[in-house]
Amino acid sequence: MKVVALVSGGKDSCYAMMKCIEYGHEIVALANLMPADDSVDELDSFMYQTVSWAPNNCQLCRMHGIAVIQKANTRIHKASSFLEDVIGKSNCLILDNVCLELGLYLMSSEAMHQTLNYKTTPGDEVEDMFVLLNEVKRQIPSITAVSSGAIASDYQRLRVESVCSRLGLVSLAYLWKQDQSLLLHEMITNGILAITVKVAAIGLVPSKHLGKEIAFLNTHLHKLKELYGINVCGEGGEYETLTLDCPLFGSASGYTLLIVHPFSLEIKVSGLRSLYTMGKVIPDSTISIIHITVSNSQNARIVLDEFQTVLHSPGSIASVGVIHPLAFHLENKETAISLSNNDRANYSSPEKKGSVFEVQGDCPQRSEATCQSNAERNNLVEVRDDIIYISRTKKDNIFSICCWLQDSCKNSAGSHEDLAIVLKHIESQLTGYGFGWGHVLYIHLYIADMNEFAMVNETYVRFITQEKCPFGVPSRSTIELPLLQASLGKAYIEVLVANDNSKNVLHVQSISSWAPSCIGPYSQATLHKEILHMAGQLGLDPATMTLCNEGPSAELEQALENSEAVANVFNCSISTSAIVFTIYCSANTPLPERLEIQEKQDSFLKQMRLLQLEKGSKCKILYPIFLYVLVTDLPKRASVEVKPILFVPEDTETAVTSVQNPNSFTVANCWGFQHAQWHDSCIQKCVVSGKICAVILSITEDHVAKIGSESLGVNEKDVDHHNSVSKGNMERVSRFCVYLLDKGIIENGFSWEDTMNLRIYFPTNSGIQMETLSLLFKNAMNELAEMDQRVQIGKEPIFNIVPVFGSGSSAASMDNIITCELFARKS
């Protein structure tokens, strides 16, 4: 991708550019934001690092970001640079106080009174970034991405992502969520030579530590981390840096400075005169064009000849001090930078000139994608009510709604048209309950043809938008199912809904090395009342967003690593906190490789559990249950997709097992089922006492035969196994499933009213029609309700039927006749 890099002069923005180049991107523009008032040391900004913009520092940072970096001996060639004054103030509130260098600095004085999410706000300083990047995009239309040095601050990452989303750009944040100790070591060993230009932390003394290289301070910073818990990369505002040299710094022969608003030329460029020979000046009432020739055109590093230390809070426990450079120059590098073949191919000679544009102005009118209007949605194809199926669990505060179409869309244009119909009806259901898309925690998106995924996603984003979900967009998993083989429409939706807005959503749209980005309105994970609902994870390399090419087992390992990265954000691990793992396997994956997937899953989780114990983790370990589902296809033609559900307790002492009560009574015994030892082989449970009960019930062909023999009072050998999946047998099977599910939840102190979702998976090659199966289970639930007043059944079923190629408790035996997945939680 062609990239505009946000540069501040600090180590992070420089190293982020190096990572961009490492991953094959081309930096074609640099962007700076500077305070409108050069006379202050720091602008009162939540967003932008301003310490380098003090008098004299301003010109040094301008020279650093424009004259040096843009002529690097790597893939930064003929790069244009853009400058803009920061006019606005921070009008949006924040929850964290982490410092971030992408030209960013976060103040902490009002930190706990504000909100992370950003909405377009006139006069806010974020709009200055929008103006700047909008101008960059206007002048260089080929730009598709923005690089920043984001490491830890959600506040600034979200705002960069917001601006990128509005401009149709991709955010690149390759330093995001990296271990700061390792990251600092990487920067030093990879040639970042940066000095501190501000210190503001206990243990950092201005007279001792200002102007020192980060390599020199490395050991001391780690000592302060052990003593006081500081951030060794300065992410808590402990220090700010100026990069004097790095592998990107190269020759800078000349460029054009285009100033798009009138000002005093003497003030703005006087600081450059010690470095440049001024060329011809063409005055104009609105534009001044200055051609600048650099007096030193060789590979160069910055050298500070003289600087002044200014103390802002002398005598305090953590004195604040900044540097004001007084004199500096460029110094030749002894040897040329070693380049890879690709870098040499992209290197541009010093004769090529970049351009510098100073941008200032109001936010221009912009064209943004808007959600589909009500009128447009009302024009959707009308579908008869008798072919629209809705299911809903009966739990009051957290429930699931499922919508599918029966024999309805044979003439539809495709999955996207069916999806629009289904989403419209889900939206209508939500409205009827007084809710909206903002109340949705999770969405299962099932489609008939993965080739139509792009069009499906376009339809999806017309209904589910950031604007409709101010507390965060739902997490999502997407798979292709044999819907048409089950005589269904081409799209099928299940949504999990909460009646409050207490969810905590993780939605990172920046491409990074942390975990796969979610560009668009779905998030990596949603935490709600101690349950972490994680989006389906593919085996994507986060930095390149491409699938592992080493086979299904490697994909599975990468998907688990991605899941673990997401879990770590919520201070938990998939190895100790997972309740349920659903592993979707593509039918295109051969059986031997599916077996390798399960082996990798088992070994990975075991190894991670041991690592947690070695780290001294005191969290109680959950032992999850597993469901393997064989599906038609997955996004990006992946072989495997992992979907974990985790328990993240507010109280770390919460018990994670429960004592079963063998004397508990279930009226389902009236069906004539008596407990037998083989029943235990059908069921998996994971229980958090008094909070969560998850059950997976697997019914194989052998189980069907046993159920038939018990019900008929005959020997199992006399049962016709070839006709085991008949309507009569399936009627007994449906009752048996309800019996075992009822028994499983009652024995652990739960009820059907605690059910958040209940899915019934069946293979499309079983010969049983989905409509028939749905009716059998609905009748069984109605019979249970008649026998026991504890069970409340409405006109809609509380379960949803999911057609698959196969399912089971292991990758080796995805041949269940029926698989039931139930998740219940106490309010």
Side-chain angles (χ1 to χ4, degrees):
M1 288 187 287
K2 293 186 184 296
V3 179
V4 52
L6 296 173
V7 293
S8 65
K11 65 185 188 326
D12 299 339
S13 55
C14 287
Y15 195 59
M17 286 192 289
M18 291 174 62
K19 299 300 287 185
C20 285
I21 292 167
E22 178 184 331
Y23 288 114
H25 303 299
E26 179 185 0
I27 297 175
V28 297
L30 309 177
N32 300 76
L33 287 118
M34 59 185 179
D37 185 357
D38 287 347
S39 66
V40 296
D41 266 338
E42 288 197 341
L43 183 68
D44 185 16
S45 168
F46 291 146
M47 274 293 289
Y48 307 114
Q49 175 191 323
T50 59
V51 64
S52 297
W53 293 112
N56 295 317
N57 293 35
C58 159
Q59 308 305 339
L60 173 60
C61 199
R62 181 185 306 222
M63 176 273 293
H64 162 272
I66 299 166
V68 180
I69 300 177
Q70 73 167 355
K71 293 299 180 180
N73 287 336
T74 56
R75 290 179 187 165
I76 305 178
H77 62 282
K78 203 175 182 180
S80 297
S81 296
F82 297 79
L83 304 173
E84 189 199 3
D85 291 349
V86 179
I87 305 297
K89 298 289 185 180
S90 296
N91 294 329
C92 294
L93 306 179
I94 57 174
L95 291 176
D96 65 356
N97 62 346
V98 182
C99 156
L100 170 63
E101 283 194 27
L102 47 73
L104 307 179
Y105 174 69
L106 175 61
M107 303 292 288
S108 59
S109 59
E110 302 180 37
M112 299 311 295
H113 305 288
Q114 320 234 2
T115 165
L116 278 174
N117 293 323
Y118 178 74
K119 293 182 179 179
T120 303
T121 307
D124 191 280
E125 60 186 359
V126 176
E127 298 309 302
D128 296 318
M129 180 185 292
F130 178 86
V131 172
L132 176 61
L133 293 179
N134 187 67
E135 178 64 16
V136 174
K137 187 178 178 182
R138 187 187 70 80
Q139 296 200 36
I140 312 177
S142 61
I143 281 180
T144 55
V146 176
S147 168
S148 70
I151 296 177
S153 172
D154 284 304
Y155 177 87
Q156 291 129 350
R157 173 186 60 77
L158 287 166
R159 279 148 181 75
V160 174
E161 289 176 353
S162 173
V163 170
C164 287
S165 177
R166 291 158 60 189
L167 291 171
L169 300 171
V170 176
S171 172
L172 302 178
Y174 285 117
L175 311 190
W176 177 250
K177 287 295 180 186
Q178 297 302 293
D179 179 275
Q180 291 188 39
S181 293
L182 295 177
L183 185 57
L184 186 62
H185 176 73
E186 276 186 32
M187 291 181 185
I188 294 169
T189 56
N190 284 290
I192 295 286
L193 193 160
I195 62 169
T196 53
V197 291
K198 174 188 171 182
V199 294
I202 186 170
L204 290 177
V205 181
S207 59
K208 292 182 179 179
H209 301 123
L210 270 176
K212 296 296 189 294
E213 294 180 16
I214 54 173
F216 173 81
L217 294 176
N218 189 15
T219 301
H220 184 62
L221 291 172
H222 280 86
K223 182 178 179 180
L224 296 182
K225 177 187 176 183
E226 294 177 6
L227 291 174
Y228 310 117
I230 76 160
N231 298 277
V232 295
C233 280
E235 287 303 285
E238 292 90 345
Y239 66 92
E240 308 286 359
T241 61
L242 176 68
T243 302
L244 300 180
D245 192 18
C246 79
L248 298 184
F249 285 18
S251 59
S253 63
Y255 56 84
T256 299
L257 174 61
L258 172 62
I259 300 152
V260 298
H261 63 285
F263 58 82
S264 169
L265 185 63
E266 177 67 22
I267 294 174
K268 291 293 180 178
V269 300
S270 59
L272 298 175
R273 289 184 175 174
S274 61
L275 296 174
Y276 304 104
T277 302
M278 302 304 297
K280 184 179 179 182
V281 177
I282 306 174
D284 187 271
S285 60
T286 58
I287 294 180
S288 296
I289 302 175
I290 311 162
H291 182 71
I292 300 172
T293 303
V294 180
S295 58
N296 188 332
S297 62
Q298 302 301 312
N299 293 330
R301 61 174 62 89
I302 302 170
V303 177
L304 280 184
D305 298 315
E306 186 180 354
F307 61 83
Q308 177 187 12
T309 300
V310 178
L311 295 180
H312 284 262
S313 54
S316 66
I317 295 176
S319 298
V320 178
V322 298
I323 279 179
H324 285 182
L326 301 176
F328 45 88
H329 69 277
L330 290 179
E331 181 178 270
N332 291 354
K333 292 186 181 183
E334 295 293 334
T335 57
I337 302 167
S338 176
L339 301 175
S340 68
N341 290 334
N342 287 338
D343 290 335
R344 293 182 188 278
N346 284 280
Y347 172 62
S348 180
S349 68
E351 284 71 32
K352 290 188 177 180
K353 299 175 183 178
S355 299
V356 179
F357 304 91
E358 189 151 341
V359 182
Q360 189 178 58
D362 295 330
C363 180
Q365 294 295 319
R366 56 188 172 85
S367 174
E368 294 188 76
T370 57
C371 62
Q372 188 183 34
S373 69
N374 291 332
E376 288 176 305
R377 288 209 292 268
N378 288 335
N379 288 332
L380 295 172
V381 177
E382 291 299 323
V383 180
R384 299 195 327 268
D385 289 341
D386 62 342
I387 58 161
I388 299 171
Y389 282 72
I390 291 284
S391 69
R392 182 198 185 282
T393 53
K394 300 300 181 246
K395 189 171 176 60
D396 290 334
N397 58 343
I398 309 172
F399 56 91
S400 62
I401 305 175
C402 185
C403 183
W404 68 93
L405 306 174
Q406 187 78 26
D407 288 329
S408 64
C409 295
K410 294 178 180 178
N411 298 320
S412 69
S415 299
H416 64 287
E417 186 175 289
D418 283 12
L419 179 62
I421 294 167
V422 171
L423 287 172
K424 179 183 177 182
H425 282 273
I426 290 283
E427 190 171 69
S428 176
Q429 290 281 317
L430 291 172
T431 302
Y433 296 121
F435 301 140
W437 291 112
H439 291 86
V440 175
L441 306 175
Y442 201 95
I443 295 179
H444 287 83
L445 173 59
Y446 307 134
I447 59 177
D449 187 355
M450 198 59 71
N451 290 320
E452 298 181 10
F453 179 77
M455 294 182 67
V456 163
N457 221 33
E458 288 179 9
T459 301
Y460 182 94
V461 302
R462 291 206 303 269
F463 284 83
I464 302 156
T465 64
Q466 303 275 4
E467 291 74 21
K468 293 180 182 178
C469 305
F471 297 96
V473 290
S475 301
R476 186 181 87 179
S477 68
T478 305
I479 59 176
E480 180 184 317
L481 293 179
L483 300 179
L484 299 179
Q485 291 91 319
S487 300
L488 301 184
K490 298 177 183 176
Y492 181 145
I493 284 283
E494 178 193 331
V495 299
L496 183 65
V497 186
N499 68 351
D500 60 33
N501 286 310
S502 62
K503 64 182 179 181
N504 180 8
V505 174
L506 175 66
H507 185 200
V508 179
Q509 298 184 71
S510 300
I511 293 177
S512 69
S513 299
W514 161 72
S517 63
C518 288
I519 300 174
Y522 57 96
S523 58
Q524 280 89 354
T526 300
L527 178 64
H528 181 259
K529 297 190 181 299
E530 301 185 310
I531 299 176
L532 185 63
H533 306 272
M534 196 177 296
Q537 293 291 330
L538 303 177
L540 295 172
D541 171 40
T544 62
M545 292 297 289
T546 57
L547 277 174
C548 294
N549 57 7
E550 299 173 9
S553 179
E555 279 188 41
L556 186 278
E557 184 173 18
Q558 183 65 62
L560 291 173
E561 289 178 359
N562 295 339
S563 300
E564 179 68 3
V566 173
N568 290 166
V569 175
F570 295 89
N571 300 313
C572 62
S573 168
I574 60 171
S575 64
T576 57
S577 301
I579 304 165
V580 181
F581 274 103
T582 302
I583 300 96
Y584 299 115
C585 297
S586 169
N588 298 319
T589 306
L591 178 60
E593 293 183 335
R594 290 184 222 154
L595 298 179
E596 290 179 9
I597 286 172
Q598 182 165 350
E599 291 174 2
K600 177 62 69 175
Q601 168 103 4
D602 294 341
S603 63
F604 185 94
L605 293 177
K606 182 178 180 180
Q607 184 178 12
M608 287 193 62
R609 216 170 274 133
L610 292 174
L611 288 174
Q612 291 291 322
L613 293 174
E614 289 176 4
K615 290 178 182 177
S617 173
K618 297 180 180 179
C619 64
K620 297 181 184 297
I621 296 177
L622 275 170
Y623 291 92
I625 55 181
F626 295 89
L627 172 62
Y628 290 83
V629 181
L630 192 62
V631 302
T632 320
D633 203 355
L634 294 168
K636 295 182 178 291
R637 298 293 184 262
S639 298
V640 63
E641 178 177 328
V642 177
K643 182 173 71 71
I645 300 176
L646 284 70
F647 175 60
V648 185
E650 295 174 357
D651 177 9
T652 55
E653 299 301 316
T654 299
V656 297
T657 58
S658 64
V659 178
Q660 298 195 12
N661 179 5
N663 297 319
S664 59
F665 175 72
T666 170
V667 296
N669 289 338
C670 297
W671 278 320
F673 298 117
Q674 297 296 323
H675 178 72
Q677 190 171 0
W678 66 268
H679 291 186
D680 296 334
S681 67
C682 300
I683 197 164
Q684 300 179 71
K685 287 188 292 185
C686 182
V687 179
V688 178
S689 183
K691 294 199 172 190
I692 296 168
C693 180
V695 179
I696 291 176
L697 179 62
S698 300
I699 305 297
T700 65
E701 191 172 272
D702 288 342
H703 293 148
V704 173
K706 291 178 184 292
I707 295 166
S709 64
E710 283 187 359
S711 301
L712 297 173
V714 298
N715 191 302
E716 181 187 342
K717 294 180 180 179
D718 298 328
V719 177
D720 183 3
H721 284 253
H722 294 291
N723 194 33
S724 61
V725 192
S726 64
K727 181 177 179 181
N729 279 343
M730 288 308 299
E731 183 175 38
R732 290 187 289 276
V733 168
S734 64
R735 288 172 173 170
F736 180 77
C737 290
V738 172
Y739 156 73
L740 271 191
L741 291 172
D742 184 61
K743 184 172 182 287
I745 60 177
I746 289 175
E747 284 182 345
N748 291 284
F750 290 79
S751 69
W752 287 98
E753 283 66 44
D754 296 321
T755 303
M756 285 170 51
N757 54 57
L758 172 58
R759 300 184 194 96
I760 299 170
Y761 301 88
F762 82 103
T764 52
N765 63 359
S766 66
I768 294 291
Q769 295 298 312
M770 180 172 171
E771 195 171 2
T772 301
L773 190 64
S774 180
L775 181 61
L776 291 175
F777 270 92
K778 186 173 183 180
N779 289 341
M781 293 299 303
N782 286 333
E783 291 172 14
L784 178 64
E786 290 174 3
M787 292 185 286
D788 187 353
Q789 297 301 313
R790 293 177 298 111
V791 183
Q792 302 296 320
I793 300 295
K795 66 176 183 178
E796 300 159 346
I798 67 170
F799 55 83
N800 55 295
I801 308 287
V802 183
V804 295
F805 272 177
S807 60
S809 57
S810 74
S813 57
M814 288 188 279
D815 54 3
N816 287 355
I817 300 299
I818 291 292
T819 305
C820 301
E821 179 190 7
L822 181 146
F823 196 99
R825 66 153 297 145
K826 292 289 186 182
S827 299

